[in-house]
Amino acid sequence: MSSATYLAKERAVAIEAVERASKVCQSVFKRLVAEETLTKNDKSPVTVADFGAQAVVNSILEKHFPQDPIVGEEDSKDLQGDQGRALREKVVELVNTATQAPMSTNEVLRAIDRGQYAGGPKGRHWTLDPIDGTKGFLRGEQFAVCLALIIDGKVRLGVLGCPNLPYEMDKPEGERGVLMVAVEGQGAFQRRLSADSSESETPIRVADVADTKDAVFCESVESGHTSHGDNANIAKLLNITKPSVRMDSQCKYAAIARGDANIMLRLPSSSTYVEKIWDHGAGNIIISEAGGRVGDINGNPLDFSAGRTLRANDGGVIAASAKIFDAVIQAVQTTLAQKSE
């Protein structure tokens, strides 16, 4: 599958879709977050951006691949009727700043609702998280637009748009905006998110870390998806003493893929929570093509063939540089076993 022509059109279209959706999100932040005073629990700007980004991506995919279904996070029910009018009008206005041809209200709603496919093990479908990392988005920190193509139950293509991620991690105040892309068998690459299509892509690889004592965790800013206490115990078992890199969203996958960090832990937050495929599809293939490994708490590869969730897996998601992956899994299992005693 290493031929440069394999999924070449899909790759180009996915990049265009993620770039436009990223611009939509940045526009919302500038207009509705930075310029307005928000109450602590006001998530309306991220809601507008979520719907707008999903409409933009889905409309671009429909134009080029009208037969491909989409597994998306959002549907349009909150935009319907008189109750949804104000939000609906904001979304439609936003979408029309990013499309080549104007879209009517009905076209925008229909585009959003193209994301209701059930997924499964056969054929082609896309999976989209229009804004992964909503709290990071509202803080003006890390969030990502995440798009992946699944064929016969396996992720074959992934694109991450990370508008606020430094292009060089050792220059945090420098240029921001990173686009990462990977196709099965072709490696992983990054370029500037704001670049024109003529800019060359740079190959990326996970760091060549052979001993966990030299590794760096990449953790969420907040502990909603995993326990920082468990992470601390795992770090102790692995002799990790370096400070963690903290960020929200699938940007964590991006950080590991290019060697800014080495381990991501997303341990089960409850016995009933099941991971969604859109939260991991793009990041999974980017890490894999960059030379890393991704699996559940038992080290099994993530199974994207079971519908809209990763219910076929044993819970949690672990990503790491390949040489230390097995050691990380062993420390995870030891920690979880101690908790259950």
Side-chain angles (χ1 to χ4, degrees):
M1 298 278 184
S2 60
S3 169
T5 60
Y6 175 61
L7 298 180
K9 180 180 178 182
E10 287 86 347
R11 187 185 197 274
V13 170
I15 288 173
E16 176 193 356
V18 169
E19 285 179 328
R20 288 208 197 171
S22 297
K23 290 177 181 176
V24 163
C25 297
Q26 289 171 298
S27 173
V28 169
F29 183 82
K30 290 174 183 175
R31 290 172 52 194
L32 300 182
V33 180
E35 295 178 5
E36 293 184 11
T37 302
L38 299 177
T39 64
K40 184 176 181 180
N41 295 318
D42 186 358
K43 296 182 179 179
S44 58
V46 78
T47 304
V48 172
D50 246 338
F51 283 127
Q54 180 153 318
V56 167
V57 171
N58 288 0
S59 64
I60 291 172
L61 292 178
E62 182 179 27
K63 175 183 175 182
H64 294 280
F65 307 109
Q67 302 306 314
D68 286 358
I70 302 165
V71 177
E73 186 174 17
E74 309 297 340
D75 63 53
S76 71
K77 66 178 183 294
D78 290 338
L79 303 178
Q80 302 288 345
D82 290 341
Q83 191 171 2
R85 178 180 298 169
L87 182 58
R88 180 173 69 243
E89 290 175 351
K90 283 186 176 181
V91 171
V92 173
E93 179 186 1
L94 175 68
V95 168
N96 281 313
T97 67
T99 54
Q100 291 179 327
M103 294 179 67
S104 69
T105 297
N106 286 339
E107 287 172 332
V108 169
L109 297 179
R110 189 174 66 84
I112 292 169
D113 284 334
R114 288 197 76 238
Q116 296 309 295
Y117 184 62
K122 299 294 184 183
R124 289 168 49 119
H125 59 273
W126 299 83
T127 186
L128 168 69
D129 193 340
I131 294 186
D132 186 34
T134 55
K135 292 179 180 178
F137 172 83
L138 288 170
R139 289 194 303 265
E141 296 174 3
Q142 298 311 323
F143 71 96
V145 178
C146 316
L147 180 63
L149 175 62
I150 297 170
I151 302 176
D152 294 334
K154 186 175 180 182
V155 181
R156 314 285 180 169
L157 159 68
V159 179
L160 287 177
C162 306
N164 292 333
L165 189 67
Y167 190 72
E168 298 176 71
M169 207 65 170
D170 59 354
K171 298 178 181 177
E173 302 306 317
E175 184 179 7
R176 292 179 173 237
V178 176
L179 183 138
M180 290 190 179
V181 58
V183 173
E184 181 185 25
Q186 296 179 18
F189 300 84
Q190 78 167 12
R191 67 174 173 84
R192 290 169 176 82
L193 185 59
S194 59
D196 62 45
S197 58
S198 65
E199 177 174 324
S200 60
E201 298 170 351
T202 302
I204 54 174
R205 297 288 294 177
V206 298
D208 188 23
V209 175
D211 193 318
T212 57
K213 68 179 174 57
D214 299 317
V216 174
F217 272 128
C218 193
E219 297 187 87
S220 298
V221 174
E222 300 185 41
S223 58
H225 290 296
T226 193
S227 168
H228 286 170
D230 289 340
N231 288 10
N233 190 55
I234 292 165
K236 185 177 180 180
L237 290 171
L238 295 173
N239 297 312
I240 295 173
T241 58
K242 295 181 179 180
S244 296
V245 174
R246 293 196 182 275
M247 63 178 67
D248 294 303
S249 81
Q250 285 187 62
C251 289
K252 291 189 287 292
Y253 279 111
I256 293 172
R258 67 180 188 181
D260 299 331
N262 316 109
I263 301 168
M264 182 195 82
L265 304 178
R266 184 158 161 148
L267 303 181
S269 56
S270 75
S271 60
T272 57
Y273 182 76
V274 181
E275 298 284 350
K276 310 300 189 295
I277 65 171
W278 53 78
D279 284 326
H280 302 285
N284 179 82
I285 191 170
I286 287 170
I287 289 273
S288 299
E289 288 294 317
R293 291 175 63 187
V294 184
D296 62 19
I297 57 173
N298 289 321
N300 299 314
L302 301 186
D303 185 345
F304 291 87
S305 70
R308 296 173 66 87
T309 71
L310 297 176
R311 67 177 183 270
N313 286 104
D314 296 319
V317 176
I318 317 298
S321 301
K323 290 181 179 179
I324 61 174
F325 182 81
D326 289 335
V328 174
I329 293 296
Q330 185 174 1
V332 167
Q333 292 177 340
T334 298
T335 296
L336 295 180
Q338 290 172 345
K339 285 182 68 175
S340 64
E341 291 177 353

